[in-house]
Protein backbone atom coordinates (compact mmCIF):
# COMPACT_ATOMS: atom_id res chain seq x y z
CA UNK A 1 0.00 0.00 0.00
CA UNK A 2 1.63 3.16 -1.18
CA UNK A 3 1.36 6.35 1.00
CA UNK A 4 -0.97 8.91 -0.49
CA UNK A 5 0.08 12.54 -0.93
CA UNK A 6 -1.71 14.99 1.32
CA UNK A 7 -3.74 17.51 -0.73
CA UNK A 8 -2.62 21.11 -0.15
CA UNK A 9 -5.10 23.13 1.89
CA UNK A 10 -6.06 26.75 1.79
CA UNK A 11 -5.04 27.51 5.37
CA UNK A 12 -1.19 27.50 5.03
CA UNK A 13 0.83 24.75 6.73
CA UNK A 14 -2.01 23.47 8.93
CA UNK A 15 -2.95 23.56 12.58
CA UNK A 16 -0.12 21.19 13.62
CA UNK A 17 2.53 23.59 12.30
CA UNK A 18 0.85 26.54 14.04
CA UNK A 19 0.64 24.68 17.35
CA UNK A 20 4.34 23.82 17.14
CA UNK A 21 5.52 27.23 15.84
CA UNK A 22 3.95 29.41 18.57
CA UNK A 23 5.66 27.69 21.56
CA UNK A 24 8.94 27.57 19.63
CA UNK A 25 8.74 31.33 19.00
CA UNK A 26 8.03 31.97 22.68
CA UNK A 27 11.01 29.81 23.70
CA UNK A 28 13.24 31.54 21.13
CA UNK A 29 12.31 35.02 22.40
CA UNK A 30 12.61 34.11 26.09
CA UNK A 31 15.68 31.82 25.94
CA UNK A 32 17.61 32.07 22.67
CA UNK A 33 17.60 35.89 22.42
CA UNK A 34 19.01 36.56 25.97
CA UNK A 35 21.62 33.84 25.49
CA UNK A 36 22.67 35.34 22.15
CA UNK A 37 22.85 38.87 23.65
CA UNK A 38 24.94 37.66 26.61
CA UNK A 39 27.19 35.71 24.24
CA UNK A 40 27.80 38.78 22.04
CA UNK A 41 28.58 40.93 25.10
CA UNK A 42 31.01 38.34 26.47
CA UNK A 43 32.75 38.08 23.08
CA UNK A 44 33.12 41.87 22.86
CA UNK A 45 34.43 42.11 26.45
CA UNK A 46 36.87 39.28 25.83
CA UNK A 47 38.25 40.92 22.69
CA UNK A 48 38.56 44.31 24.42
CA UNK A 49 40.31 42.76 27.46
CA UNK A 50 42.71 40.83 25.21
CA UNK A 51 43.49 43.88 23.08
CA UNK A 52 43.82 46.57 25.75
CA UNK A 53 44.79 44.67 28.96
CA UNK A 54 46.21 41.17 28.53
CA UNK A 55 48.35 41.71 25.44
CA UNK A 56 50.00 45.00 26.65
CA UNK A 57 50.49 43.42 30.11
CA UNK A 58 52.20 40.41 28.54
CA UNK A 59 54.33 42.53 26.18
CA UNK A 60 55.42 45.17 28.70
CA UNK A 61 55.53 43.19 31.97
CA UNK A 62 55.41 39.41 31.65
CA UNK A 63 57.75 38.98 28.67
CA UNK A 64 60.58 41.22 30.10
CA UNK A 65 60.19 39.51 33.48
CA UNK A 66 60.46 36.08 31.82
CA UNK A 67 63.56 37.18 29.88
CA UNK A 68 65.26 38.50 33.03
CA UNK A 69 64.28 35.34 34.94
CA UNK A 70 65.65 33.16 32.13
CA UNK A 71 68.97 35.02 32.14
CA UNK A 72 69.22 34.77 35.93
CA UNK A 73 68.43 31.04 35.84
CA UNK A 74 70.98 30.47 33.05
CA UNK A 75 73.63 32.31 35.09
CA UNK A 76 72.77 30.34 38.23
CA UNK A 77 72.89 27.04 36.32
CA UNK A 78 76.29 27.96 34.91
CA UNK A 79 77.51 28.90 38.40
CA UNK A 80 76.21 25.64 39.93
CA UNK A 81 76.63 23.04 37.15
CA UNK A 82 79.27 24.26 34.67
CA UNK A 83 81.86 26.54 36.23
CA UNK A 84 82.76 24.23 39.21
CA UNK A 85 83.54 21.35 36.82
CA UNK A 86 85.44 23.68 34.48
CA UNK A 87 87.53 24.96 37.39
CA UNK A 88 88.10 21.41 38.69
CA UNK A 89 89.23 20.24 35.26
CA UNK A 90 91.32 23.33 34.51
CA UNK A 91 93.01 23.94 37.86
CA UNK A 92 93.14 20.47 39.49
CA UNK A 93 92.72 17.49 37.18
CA UNK A 94 94.82 18.84 34.27
CA UNK A 95 97.90 19.72 36.41
CA UNK A 96 97.60 16.45 38.36
CA UNK A 97 97.30 14.45 35.13
CA UNK A 98 100.31 16.19 33.62
CA UNK A 99 102.35 15.50 36.80
CA UNK A 100 101.34 11.83 36.83
CA UNK A 101 102.18 11.50 33.14
CA UNK A 102 105.62 13.08 33.76
CA UNK A 103 106.23 10.71 36.72
CA UNK A 104 105.13 7.70 34.64
CA UNK A 105 107.44 8.60 31.74
CA UNK A 106 110.36 9.15 34.16
CA UNK A 107 109.71 5.89 36.01
CA UNK A 108 109.49 3.96 32.75
CA UNK A 109 112.57 5.58 31.24
CA UNK A 110 114.84 5.46 34.31
CA UNK A 111 113.53 2.47 36.33
CA UNK A 112 111.32 -0.04 34.52
CA UNK A 113 113.15 -0.12 31.17
CA UNK A 114 116.65 -0.74 32.69
CA UNK A 115 115.21 -3.34 35.12
CA UNK A 116 113.44 -5.12 32.25
CA UNK A 117 116.57 -5.17 30.10
CA UNK A 118 118.64 -6.51 33.02
CA UNK A 119 116.11 -9.27 33.82
CA UNK A 120 115.78 -10.24 30.15
CA UNK A 121 119.54 -10.41 29.58
CA UNK A 122 120.70 -11.98 32.85
CA UNK A 123 117.75 -14.06 34.09
CA UNK A 124 115.00 -14.93 31.62
CA UNK A 125 117.12 -15.68 28.56
CA UNK A 126 119.53 -18.16 30.34
CA UNK A 127 116.58 -19.73 32.20
CA UNK A 128 114.65 -20.16 28.96
CA UNK A 129 117.62 -21.78 27.24
CA UNK A 130 118.01 -24.22 30.14
CA UNK A 131 114.34 -25.12 30.16
CA UNK A 132 114.36 -25.63 26.39
CA UNK A 133 117.34 -28.01 26.59
CA UNK A 134 115.73 -29.97 29.46
CA UNK A 135 112.44 -30.14 27.60
CA UNK A 136 114.00 -31.50 24.40
CA UNK A 137 115.79 -34.28 26.35
CA UNK A 138 112.77 -35.21 28.48
CA UNK A 139 110.42 -35.21 25.48
CA UNK A 140 112.71 -37.56 23.56
CA UNK A 141 113.40 -40.18 26.28
CA UNK A 142 110.40 -39.98 28.68
CA UNK A 143 107.40 -38.11 27.45
CA UNK A 144 107.02 -39.76 24.02
CA UNK A 145 106.42 -43.37 25.33
CA UNK A 146 104.28 -42.06 28.18
CA UNK A 147 102.18 -40.00 25.75
CA UNK A 148 101.55 -42.99 23.51
CA UNK A 149 100.38 -45.10 26.48
CA UNK A 150 98.11 -42.33 27.73
CA UNK A 151 96.63 -41.82 24.24
CA UNK A 152 95.82 -45.58 23.93
CA UNK A 153 94.16 -45.58 27.39
CA UNK A 154 92.14 -42.45 26.59
CA UNK A 155 91.01 -43.91 23.27
CA UNK A 156 89.88 -47.13 24.93
CA UNK A 157 88.01 -45.25 27.68
CA UNK A 158 86.33 -42.99 25.09
CA UNK A 159 85.12 -45.97 23.07
CA UNK A 160 83.96 -47.76 26.22
CA UNK A 161 82.12 -44.75 27.68
CA UNK A 162 80.81 -42.85 24.64
CA UNK A 163 80.43 -45.35 21.75
CA UNK A 164 79.44 -48.79 23.04
CA UNK A 165 76.53 -47.56 25.27
CA UNK A 166 74.87 -45.77 22.35
CA UNK A 167 75.41 -48.76 20.02
CA UNK A 168 73.86 -51.09 22.59
CA UNK A 169 70.95 -48.70 23.22
CA UNK A 170 70.22 -48.52 19.47
CA UNK A 171 70.61 -52.25 18.83
CA UNK A 172 68.86 -53.77 21.87
CA UNK A 173 66.32 -51.07 22.86
CA UNK A 174 65.34 -48.53 20.20
CA UNK A 175 65.11 -50.91 17.21
CA UNK A 176 62.81 -53.47 18.99
CA UNK A 177 60.66 -50.71 20.50
CA UNK A 178 60.31 -49.00 17.09
CA UNK A 179 59.26 -52.25 15.42
CA UNK A 180 56.65 -52.89 18.14
CA UNK A 181 55.25 -49.36 17.84
CA UNK A 182 55.01 -49.70 14.04
CA UNK A 183 53.08 -52.99 14.42
CA UNK A 184 50.72 -51.39 16.99
CA UNK A 185 50.12 -48.38 14.69
CA UNK A 186 49.29 -50.62 11.73
CA UNK A 187 46.90 -52.71 13.82
CA UNK A 188 45.20 -49.64 15.27
CA UNK A 189 44.77 -48.14 11.79
CA UNK A 190 43.34 -51.36 10.40
CA UNK A 191 41.03 -52.44 13.25
CA UNK A 192 40.18 -49.17 15.06
CA UNK A 193 40.66 -45.93 13.09
CA UNK A 194 39.22 -47.20 9.79
CA UNK A 195 35.88 -48.41 11.30
CA UNK A 196 35.59 -45.25 13.42
CA UNK A 197 36.20 -43.05 10.33
CA UNK A 198 33.53 -44.89 8.33
CA UNK A 199 31.07 -44.54 11.23
CA UNK A 200 31.75 -40.79 11.58
CA UNK A 201 31.28 -40.26 7.84
CA UNK A 202 27.93 -42.13 7.86
CA UNK A 203 26.82 -40.13 10.93
CA UNK A 204 27.70 -36.81 9.23
CA UNK A 205 25.75 -37.76 6.09
CA UNK A 206 22.73 -38.83 8.14
CA UNK A 207 22.89 -35.66 10.28
CA UNK A 208 22.97 -33.45 7.16
CA UNK A 209 20.23 -35.41 5.36
CA UNK A 210 17.72 -35.92 8.21
CA UNK A 211 18.41 -32.88 10.49
CA UNK A 212 20.33 -29.91 9.06
CA UNK A 213 18.67 -29.89 5.65
CA UNK A 214 15.04 -30.03 6.94
CA UNK A 215 15.80 -27.40 9.60
CA UNK A 216 17.46 -25.12 7.02
CA UNK A 217 14.53 -25.49 4.63
CA UNK A 218 12.08 -24.71 7.46
CA UNK A 219 14.02 -21.61 8.51
CA UNK A 220 14.20 -20.42 4.88
CA UNK A 221 10.42 -20.92 4.46
CA UNK A 222 9.84 -19.06 7.75
CA UNK A 223 12.02 -16.12 6.62
CA UNK A 224 10.23 -15.92 3.27
CA UNK A 225 6.82 -16.01 4.98
CA UNK A 226 7.85 -13.33 7.51
CA UNK A 227 9.08 -11.08 4.72
CA UNK A 228 6.01 -11.70 2.53
CA UNK A 229 3.26 -11.49 5.15
CA UNK A 230 4.83 -9.22 7.83
CA UNK A 231 7.78 -7.04 6.77
CA UNK A 232 6.52 -6.05 3.32
CA UNK A 233 3.06 -4.87 4.55
CA UNK A 234 4.51 -3.12 7.65
CA UNK A 235 7.51 -1.53 5.85
CA UNK A 236 5.54 0.98 3.70
CA UNK A 237 3.55 2.05 6.76
CA UNK A 238 6.73 2.74 8.73
CA UNK A 239 8.23 4.59 5.76
CA UNK A 240 5.07 6.73 5.40
CA UNK A 241 5.16 7.49 9.17
CA UNK A 242 8.84 8.54 8.99
CA UNK A 243 8.19 10.77 5.95
CA UNK A 244 5.20 12.40 7.64
CA UNK A 245 7.14 12.95 10.87
CA UNK A 246 10.02 14.56 8.95
CA UNK A 247 7.77 16.65 6.69
CA UNK A 248 5.19 17.90 9.18
CA UNK A 249 7.09 17.97 12.50
CA UNK A 250 10.89 18.10 12.18
CA UNK A 251 11.05 20.45 9.16
CA UNK A 252 8.75 23.18 10.67
CA UNK A 253 10.54 22.97 14.03
CA UNK A 254 13.96 23.33 12.34
CA UNK A 255 12.80 26.27 10.24
CA UNK A 256 11.37 28.03 13.31
CA UNK A 257 14.59 27.48 15.29
CA UNK A 258 16.70 28.76 12.36
CA UNK A 259 14.46 31.83 12.02
CA UNK A 260 14.65 32.46 15.78
CA UNK A 261 18.47 32.20 15.68
CA UNK A 262 18.72 34.70 12.80
CA UNK A 263 16.27 37.07 14.50
CA UNK A 264 18.22 36.84 17.75
CA UNK A 265 21.44 37.59 15.87
CA UNK A 266 19.93 40.65 14.21
CA UNK A 267 18.50 41.91 17.50
CA UNK A 268 21.83 41.37 19.26
CA UNK A 269 23.64 43.20 16.44
CA UNK A 270 21.19 46.09 16.65
CA UNK A 271 21.63 46.23 20.44
CA UNK A 272 25.41 46.20 20.08
CA UNK A 273 25.34 48.98 17.49
CA UNK A 274 23.00 50.97 19.76
CA UNK A 275 25.35 50.47 22.72
CA UNK A 276 28.28 51.60 20.57
CA UNK A 277 26.36 54.68 19.43
CA UNK A 278 25.34 55.50 23.01
CA UNK A 279 28.93 55.02 24.19
CA UNK A 280 30.19 57.33 21.47
CA UNK A 281 27.58 59.97 22.27
CA UNK A 282 28.13 59.77 26.05
CA UNK A 283 31.90 59.23 26.20
CA UNK A 284 33.69 59.37 22.85
CA UNK A 285 32.25 62.57 21.36
CA UNK A 286 32.62 64.65 24.60
CA UNK A 287 36.17 63.31 25.07
CA UNK A 288 37.10 64.21 21.47
CA UNK A 289 35.57 67.69 21.88
CA UNK A 290 37.43 68.24 25.16
CA UNK A 291 40.69 67.01 23.61
CA UNK A 292 40.30 69.17 20.50
CA UNK A 293 38.96 72.41 22.02
CA UNK A 294 40.48 72.34 25.55
CA UNK A 295 43.50 70.07 25.89
CA UNK A 296 45.09 70.87 22.50
CA UNK A 297 45.05 74.70 22.96
CA UNK A 298 46.21 74.28 26.58
CA UNK A 299 49.06 72.07 25.40
CA UNK A 300 50.07 74.57 22.74
CA UNK A 301 50.02 77.37 25.31
CA UNK A 302 52.12 75.35 27.76
CA UNK A 303 54.57 74.53 24.97
CA UNK A 304 54.94 78.19 23.99
CA UNK A 305 55.43 79.23 27.65
CA UNK A 306 58.04 76.49 28.05
CA UNK A 307 59.91 77.59 24.93
CA UNK A 308 59.82 81.26 26.00
CA UNK A 309 61.10 80.45 29.51
CA UNK A 310 63.84 78.21 28.13
CA UNK A 311 64.98 80.95 25.69
CA UNK A 312 65.02 83.51 28.51
CA UNK A 313 67.11 81.23 30.73
CA UNK A 314 69.52 80.58 27.86
CA UNK A 315 69.94 84.31 27.20
CA UNK A 316 70.50 85.03 30.91
CA UNK A 317 73.13 82.29 31.11
CA UNK A 318 74.93 83.69 28.06
CA UNK A 319 74.87 87.19 29.56
CA UNK A 320 76.33 85.92 32.88
CA UNK A 321 79.07 84.02 31.05
CA UNK A 322 79.97 87.14 29.05
CA UNK A 323 80.00 89.31 32.19
CA UNK A 324 82.22 86.88 34.13
CA UNK A 325 84.62 85.59 31.48
CA UNK A 326 84.40 88.19 28.75
CA UNK A 327 83.60 85.65 26.06
CA UNK A 328 80.97 86.43 23.42
CA UNK A 329 77.69 84.52 23.92
CA UNK A 330 77.54 81.35 21.82
CA UNK A 331 74.12 79.93 21.19
CA UNK A 332 73.93 76.12 21.38
CA UNK A 333 73.17 74.10 18.29
CA UNK A 334 69.73 73.16 19.64
CA UNK A 335 68.77 76.81 20.03
CA UNK A 336 70.17 77.62 16.58
CA UNK A 337 68.05 74.88 15.08
CA UNK A 338 64.78 76.26 16.49
CA UNK A 339 64.72 79.81 17.95
CA UNK A 340 62.02 81.63 19.80
CA UNK A 341 60.98 83.80 16.91
CA UNK A 342 61.12 81.07 14.20
CA UNK A 343 59.34 77.75 13.66
CA UNK A 344 61.62 76.44 10.89
CA UNK A 345 63.61 73.22 11.24
CA UNK A 346 67.39 72.93 11.41
CA UNK A 347 69.11 73.96 8.19
CA UNK A 348 66.84 76.91 7.42
CA UNK A 349 67.79 80.49 8.26
CA UNK A 350 66.63 81.25 11.83
CA UNK A 351 64.98 84.52 12.76
CA UNK A 352 67.25 87.10 14.39
CA UNK A 353 67.28 87.11 18.18
CA UNK A 354 67.37 90.20 20.36
CA UNK A 355 69.92 90.00 23.15
CA UNK A 356 69.33 91.17 26.68
CA UNK A 357 71.62 94.29 26.27
CA UNK A 358 69.79 95.39 23.14
CA UNK A 359 66.46 95.04 24.93
CA UNK A 360 67.72 97.07 27.88
CA UNK A 361 69.28 99.69 25.58
Amino acid sequence: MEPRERPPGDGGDGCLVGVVRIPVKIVAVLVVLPVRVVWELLVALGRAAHRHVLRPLYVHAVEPALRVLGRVLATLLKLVLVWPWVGLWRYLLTPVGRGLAWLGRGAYAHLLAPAGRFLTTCVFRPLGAALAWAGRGGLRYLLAPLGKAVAWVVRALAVLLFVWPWVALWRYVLVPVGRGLAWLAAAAHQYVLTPIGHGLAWLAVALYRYLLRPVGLGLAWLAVAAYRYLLRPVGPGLAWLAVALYRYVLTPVGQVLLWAWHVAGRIAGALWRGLKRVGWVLVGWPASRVYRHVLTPAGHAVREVWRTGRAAVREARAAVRQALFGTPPVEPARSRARTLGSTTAAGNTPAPEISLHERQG
Side-chain angles (χ1 to χ4, degrees), residues 141-168:
Y141 299 104
L142 181 62
L143 294 178
L146 183 61
K148 291 180 181 179
V150 170
W152 183 83
V153 171
V154 169
R155 187 183 300 112
L157 289 175
V159 171
L160 182 62
L161 294 176
F162 298 104
V163 177
W164 288 352
W166 299 103
V167 173

Side-chain angles (χ1 to χ4, degrees), residues 103-174:
L103 289 176
R105 288 194 297 270
Y108 175 78
H110 301 287
L111 183 62
L112 296 179
R117 288 194 294 269
F118 173 76
L119 290 175
T120 301
T121 304
C122 301
V123 177
F124 294 127
R125 188 174 295 173
L127 183 61
L131 290 176
W133 179 80
R136 285 195 298 269
L139 181 63
R140 180 178 299 175
Y141 299 104
L142 181 62
L143 294 178
L146 183 61
K148 291 180 181 179
V150 170
W152 183 83
V153 171
V154 169
R155 187 183 300 112
L157 289 175
V159 171
L160 182 62
L161 294 176
F162 298 104
V163 177
W164 288 352
W166 299 103
V167 173
L169 180 65
W170 172 261
R171 184 177 296 174
Y172 300 107
V173 177
L174 295 179

Side-chain angles (χ1 to χ4, degrees), residues 3 14 33 45 55 62 95-96 98 115 118 128-129 136 158 161 188 192 198 204 209 213 248 276 299 301 317 339 354:
L33 179 60
L45 289 176
R55 188 172 180 182
V62 177
V96 171
R98 291 177 181 176
F118 173 76
R136 285 195 298 269
L161 294 176
V192 178
H198 290 302
R209 182 177 297 174
R213 185 177 179 184
Y248 300 109
K276 288 173 64 176
R317 186 174 56 189
T339 60
I354 302 174

Side-chain angles (χ1 to χ4, degrees), residues 66-81:
L66 291 177
R67 290 181 181 176
V68 173
L69 182 61
R71 293 176 182 175
V72 171
L73 289 177
T75 306
L76 290 177
L77 289 176
K78 287 183 180 180
L79 286 175
V80 174
L81 300 177

Side-chain angles (χ1 to χ4, degrees), residues 228-263:
R228 181 177 298 175
Y229 300 105
L230 181 61
L231 296 179
R232 193 167 67 177
V234 173
L238 293 176
W240 179 86
L241 182 61
V243 170
L245 181 64
Y246 172 76
R247 181 177 297 174
Y248 300 109
V249 177
L250 297 179
T251 301
V253 170
Q255 292 177 356
V256 171
L257 290 177
L258 183 61
W259 172 81
W261 181 258
H262 287 298
V263 170

